[in-house]
Amino acid sequence: MLASRRNFLMGAAALSAAVVTPETVRAMAAMQASTDWALATADLEGDIARRALRLVHGRPPVGLEGALFRNGPGKFRRPGGSATHWFDGDGLMRAFRIRDGQATLEARFADTPKRRWESEIDAVVTPGFGTAGDVRARIGSPDDANSANTAVMTAGDQVWALWEGGSPMAMDAADLSSKGFVSLRDDLKGMPFQAHPRFDSDGTIWNVGLSGDRMIVWRLNPDRSLHSAEVVALPRASYMHDFTASARHLVIVLQPWVFDHRTMPYAAQFAWRPEMGTQIMVIDKADLTRTRLFDLPAFSYFHLGDAWEDSSGAIRFDVAAGKDVAFAVEGARVMVEGRGTVPGEPARLSLITLYPDGRADMVSSGVTAEFPKSDPRRPGLPRRLTSHVAGETGERPLPTGLAVHDWESGRSDAFDFGETMVVEEAVWVPKPGQGGEADAWLVGPAINLAEGVTELHVFDAAKVSDGPVASWRADVALPAGFHGAWAG
């Protein structure tokens, strides 16, 4: 057996079991909690009123003022039937607000038709990504199945809770109350508006929505009103959770997880066909009929980094690339069960280059990574840094650390909390009055398994390995979320 801190503590606890002291009991409880990642998918039974967080480490950075809005599933299980997949829980919007060095936390469920009906009958019956549902489901339109549980887009005095298969849900930024689904145009109600919009430097917003081998391309004005919505034909009907964009192009990555037959749940419609390879479709933003196709060997993915073009015209972007879809199909189911080993290998950060002559290559950093993020001041522009969560293993299917990878030097600057922490995606918050790429804070939550609470951590993007510059602790644990946005 390999030596490890966990094995040492377990052996010590076993040897001392005959003499049980209060200190031993507390140590054993903390040890068990440190390995119990199931807290990340525990149910939250109701909204969380705003409450102060307690500063437990460091000093709050001067100039860090604003709110981190985070979205993710918060309720999976009901007596009459439960969600069976991590992606299908009820959407829970969280707000971490920082002002004058003080931090607060609140959380509120999105008031969707799905949640109202399932709360009334006390059963999860609506089909989803990996949950089959049953005949008690009430679905007259895509938004009747909308969980509003995936990501966040700020919109003035509102935040929009984003899903994959339907409309954004507007929520009040001040108190997180639900204001109803957003209709960007009457004839487009219920059309898919996916979870990862991309931004131009002038504030223009691009997003997509999929229906088989057709894709709606949304273009929004900076004030979130609709500029245009056009339909683009795709070369294959591939599952796609994310896309990316450079200053002049949309980049659509079509993995070989392709439509096979109609059934429920949604993920069961797709088959993993690695022999097909991965196709990348590049679309001219100025003329969506102008496209190019690139080919790469097969890989799976959920998340991409922002793309940029170099002086030669080559397009570059990063991806958290996997070998198959075992996590999407089975791993996320195991997480809701709260026990077992998640199949497959964690994703690794890779850089893809699409050359003007039609060639493409993909170079792996070798670093385990998910949720790649970058400086929001450089949308579509050349950059060298990518932040990501790190430390995930197959045996423990959630990250334990945070890192920033430098594509120019090949070095990764990382900090790992250890197995007592579940680390969530961090967002970049530029430091006031500074313009360097690393002149930013990385702000994100984590679940402290040993203490059984949620924490909020702030890192300096230039010195992640130094650890958090400030950490606050709540008196409650929220389940792990997916994606967030900063409003400052």
Side-chain angles (χ1 to χ4, degrees):
M1 180 171 59
L2 293 175
S4 72
R5 178 177 177 274
R6 181 192 297 182
N7 292 334
F8 176 81
L9 290 174
M10 290 178 68
L15 289 171
S16 63
V19 183
V20 180
T21 66
E23 290 75 19
T24 303
V25 172
R26 285 195 292 271
M28 292 176 68
M31 179 181 65
Q32 181 175 356
S34 74
T35 63
D36 186 13
W37 51 261
L39 187 60
T41 56
D43 285 327
L44 191 67
E45 297 303 330
D47 298 340
I48 299 295
R50 188 176 301 185
R51 60 195 61 205
L53 303 182
R54 179 169 58 92
L55 185 68
V56 294
H57 171 75
R59 294 182 178 179
V62 176
L64 179 60
E65 304 270 340
L68 171 62
F69 295 97
R70 294 270 303 160
N71 195 4
K75 172 72 173 174
F76 304 91
R77 305 162 189 89
R78 297 184 183 275
S82 299
T84 58
H85 196 282
W86 190 26
F87 300 171
D88 294 331
D90 291 342
L92 179 73
M93 187 68 71
R94 300 98 159 142
F96 297 86
R97 305 181 197 271
I98 302 175
R99 184 174 182 179
D100 297 329
Q102 305 295 314
T104 63
L105 166 64
E106 66 207 271
R108 199 163 181 176
F109 282 99
D111 185 23
T112 63
K114 173 187 182 298
R115 178 169 168 82
R116 289 197 298 271
W117 172 236
E118 293 180 341
S119 295
E120 181 180 335
I121 64 173
D122 214 6
V124 177
V125 297
T126 308
F129 183 89
T131 301
D134 65 35
V135 295
R136 293 172 289 173
R138 289 183 174 178
I139 302 179
S141 72
D143 283 333
D144 289 333
N146 193 332
S147 297
N149 70 356
T150 309
V152 187
M153 191 172 83
T154 60
D157 60 359
Q158 296 181 342
V159 291
W160 291 0
L162 306 182
W163 189 53
E164 287 197 339
S167 307
M169 166 63 77
M171 304 180 75
D172 192 298
D175 64 8
L176 305 186
S177 57
S178 297
K179 302 301 180 183
F181 289 120
V182 177
S183 293
L184 293 167
R185 201 171 69 199
D186 285 346
D187 62 324
L188 297 174
K189 287 183 178 180
M191 292 287 284
F193 187 91
Q194 287 194 269
H196 292 285
R198 298 287 172 177
F199 296 81
D200 284 346
S201 57
D202 65 359
T204 296
I205 302 162
W206 297 86
N207 203 1
V208 301
L210 294 184
S211 179
D213 60 357
R214 295 291 184 270
M215 177 177 71
I216 183 170
V217 176
W218 301 94
R219 182 179 178 183
L220 275 58
N221 300 309
D223 66 358
R224 279 48 175 172
S225 62
L226 181 66
H227 178 283
S228 60
E230 300 182 47
V231 175
V232 172
L234 300 173
R236 65 170 66 156
S238 172
Y239 174 75
M240 185 177 72
H241 173 70
D242 196 2
F243 76 107
T244 189
S246 67
R248 296 190 298 118
H249 295 96
L250 306 178
V251 180
I252 311 301
V253 180
L254 301 166
Q255 62 188 325
W257 195 19
V258 293
F259 178 79
D260 184 69
H261 64 284
R262 295 200 178 278
T263 187
M264 278 297 175
Y266 180 74
Q269 299 184 25
F270 295 88
W272 177 245
R273 302 272 179 79
E275 69 277 7
M276 296 176 65
T278 295
Q279 285 187 315
I280 301 177
M281 185 178 185
V282 174
I283 305 172
D284 191 324
K285 287 180 175 178
D287 180 356
L288 301 187
T289 66
R290 296 179 59 186
T291 65
R292 289 178 290 161
L293 279 178
F294 297 82
D295 293 299
L296 281 171
F299 63 88
S300 64
Y301 79 100
F302 279 108
H303 300 114
L304 307 170
D306 285 329
W308 72 94
E309 297 176 42
D310 65 19
S311 58
S312 73
I315 299 172
R316 304 178 191 275
F317 62 96
D318 31 30
V319 55
K323 292 184 176 181
D324 54 36
V325 293
F327 175 81
V329 176
E330 288 296 325
R333 177 188 58 78
V334 172
M335 287 184 62
V336 173
E337 290 180 355
R339 62 185 186 276
T341 300
V342 172
E345 297 180 18
R348 297 188 182 276
L349 189 67
S350 296
L351 184 68
I352 292 175
T353 303
L354 310 176
Y355 297 96
D357 62 5
R359 293 179 298 119
D361 66 34
M362 178 174 172
V363 178
S364 175
S365 69
V367 175
T368 298
E370 251 300 354
F371 302 129
K373 303 284 284 186
S374 58
D375 182 359
R377 294 164 294 191
R378 291 169 168 76
L381 301 178
R383 60 180 175 85
R384 61 186 179 86
L385 302 179
T386 299
S387 68
H388 58 87
V389 296
E392 185 176 0
T393 65
E395 294 181 353
R396 188 192 185 281
L398 291 161
T400 58
L402 186 69
V404 170
H405 189 77
D406 187 326
W407 287 108
E408 289 184 1
S409 68
R411 292 193 295 268
S412 185
D413 185 33
F415 181 83
D416 195 285
F417 287 97
E419 64 179 17
T420 60
M421 201 78 76
V422 171
V423 178
E424 301 182 46
E425 174 199 73
V427 302
W428 290 63
V429 181
K431 296 179 179 179
Q434 301 185 49
E437 188 176 354
D439 293 331
W441 296 294
L442 299 176
V443 183
I447 305 170
N448 186 323
L449 300 176
E451 298 292 335
V453 295
T454 288
E455 297 180 344
L456 181 66
H457 300 285
V458 179
F459 289 79
D460 188 323
K463 296 178 287 186
V464 171
S465 56
D466 287 352
V469 299
S471 300
W472 291 270
R473 182 174 294 168
D475 59 357
V476 65
L478 300 182
F482 292 144
H483 300 292
W486 179 263

